[in-house]
Amino acid sequence: MRRGLTGPPPLLGTAEPGTSVLHRAAPRTKLLALVVVGTGVGLVRSLATPPTATVWLAVLLAGCIVLARGCRLRRGLLRGQVRRTAWVLVALAAVQTWLQGPWEAAAVVGGLLACLWSATLVTATTPVPDLLDTVVRALRPLRRLGVDPERAGLAFSLTITSVPVVGRLLAESREAAAARGLGNSPRALLVPTVVRAVAHAEQVGEALAARGLD
């Protein structure tokens, strides 16, 4: 069914069936590993020199590729993340190269891509409802502090489901800009995307308010 859909696939991917170790791992374990990866990327970038950080991040990226192959995930899944975020990665690389040099640029882009690929592996091997249930259960002990786990789970769900929407809006804006001969104009790409994303957010807010969830 997924192959019959039109438009770009979700930025973080959709869950794919499988029997690999990563597929069978508990959602809470994968979410904890994702936190560890994000923390590790931050520590490497903070404590290591840019050349050393780049080497460690390259190892992490290679590990993501090996995991994706071992889990028999869709070919091109990780490569697709690079294509869909290429304009962000290129912009970051250009700015960091100009400000702090190529090694720092490689570390910044490598860290961002490592986090994105790690999140993709989690969402590609875990159904979204399982992730939401895990978040809600993890937040229940905080109910006595005023935290509403169900409402937090709803916010997490909206965040996850909004990612592919923004990706689709970005792709449509890119196509419209290319049709007008403005394919290389950041303004022609970003302004329509931001305007339509804000409009989508307002529509979601109105729908939630109509259901008493404002």
Side-chain angles (χ1 to χ4, degrees):
M1 180 179 296
R2 182 176 59 248
R3 294 176 182 175
L5 295 176
T6 58
L11 181 62
L12 292 181
T14 54
E16 301 180 13
T19 58
S20 67
V21 174
L22 197 56
H23 279 93
R24 297 196 306 269
R28 63 177 179 274
T29 302
K30 286 183 274 192
L31 287 176
L32 180 60
L34 190 57
V35 172
V36 171
V37 168
T39 303
V41 168
L43 289 175
V44 168
R45 293 250 356 266
S46 300
L47 301 178
T49 61
T52 303
T54 301
V55 171
W56 280 107
L57 293 172
V59 171
L60 179 56
L61 291 174
C64 290
I65 295 174
V66 171
L67 275 176
R69 293 288 180 86
C71 295
R72 298 183 181 276
L73 298 178
R74 184 177 68 252
R75 284 190 174 275
L77 176 66
L78 299 183
R79 187 169 59 250
Q81 311 310 312
V82 178
R83 288 198 306 269
R84 283 185 286 277
T85 58
W87 62 279
V88 176
L89 299 176
V90 170
L92 277 176
V95 171
Q96 291 297 325
T97 300
W98 179 52
L99 293 177
Q100 296 182 295
W103 280 113
E104 181 64 23
V108 170
V109 172
L112 178 61
L113 197 55
C115 292
L116 178 59
W117 278 6
S118 299
T120 299
L121 290 176
V122 172
T123 56
T125 58
T126 316
V128 171
D130 292 349
L131 290 175
L132 297 181
D133 290 342
T134 301
V135 171
V136 171
R137 285 197 301 269
L139 292 177
R140 279 175 184 162
L142 301 179
R143 191 187 295 273
R144 66 187 63 182
L145 300 178
V147 175
D148 187 338
E150 287 72 23
R151 196 172 286 264
L154 175 62
F156 185 77
S157 175
L158 291 174
T159 301
I160 292 293
T161 55
S162 293
V163 168
V165 172
V166 175
R168 175 176 56 81
L169 295 177
L170 184 61
E172 292 175 355
S173 298
R174 183 184 294 111
E175 293 174 359
R180 299 196 304 272
L182 300 173
N184 295 324
S185 172
R187 182 176 181 180
L189 175 65
L190 296 179
V191 172
T193 302
V194 171
V195 170
R196 296 180 64 192
V198 171
H200 171 74
E202 291 179 345
Q203 292 173 359
V204 172
E206 291 173 358
L208 292 176
R211 292 164 174 78
L213 294 173
D214 54 316

